[in-house]
Amino acid sequence: QVQLVESGGGLVQAGGSLRLSCSASGRIFSINVMGWYRQAPGKQRELVASITNGGYTNYADSVKGRFTISRDNAKNTVYLQMNSLKPEDTGVYRCEAHTGALQYRGQGTQVTVSS
């Protein structure tokens, strides 16, 4: 089992910044990819950014150049730095860990960007 706990969401004005954190515990050695997904009301869940054990990163086109995903292996934590936020970035952001066979999700954290 892997447990994920997110933090760092909140309300911010357009153009502002937030940093989300996702702390992992449990069978973390089995994780090979971690990512951030978001879901806005009435919209499908979408991948925002992911990072592999080797440090390879992937971003949704809509956040490239504005968001940065990183990881601190010593703290078993993945971060999502979000800059130049837009109202369309509003949604529930969830951290996910993939082990190849299983996927684990955190409880989510709300990000609201006001115009």
Side-chain angles (χ1 to χ4, degrees), residues 41-97:
K43 295 186 178 180
Q44 288 189 330
R45 184 176 75 103
E46 64 172 338
L47 172 67
V48 177
S50 63
I51 185 167
T52 69
N53 282 349
Y56 177 80
T57 58
N58 183 47
Y59 296 92
D61 288 342
S62 60
V63 307
K64 284 180 180 177
R66 299 188 298 123
F67 291 10
T68 302
I69 189 170
S70 61
R71 61 193 299 163
D72 184 333
N73 291 330
K75 297 182 178 180
N76 299 322
T77 300
V78 172
Y79 303 97
L80 184 68
Q81 178 66 44
M82 305 185 294
N83 298 328
S84 302
L85 283 161
K86 303 176 181 180
E88 51 264 43
D89 294 318
T90 294
V92 175
Y93 285 68
R94 283 188 174 85
C95 176
E96 293 196 8

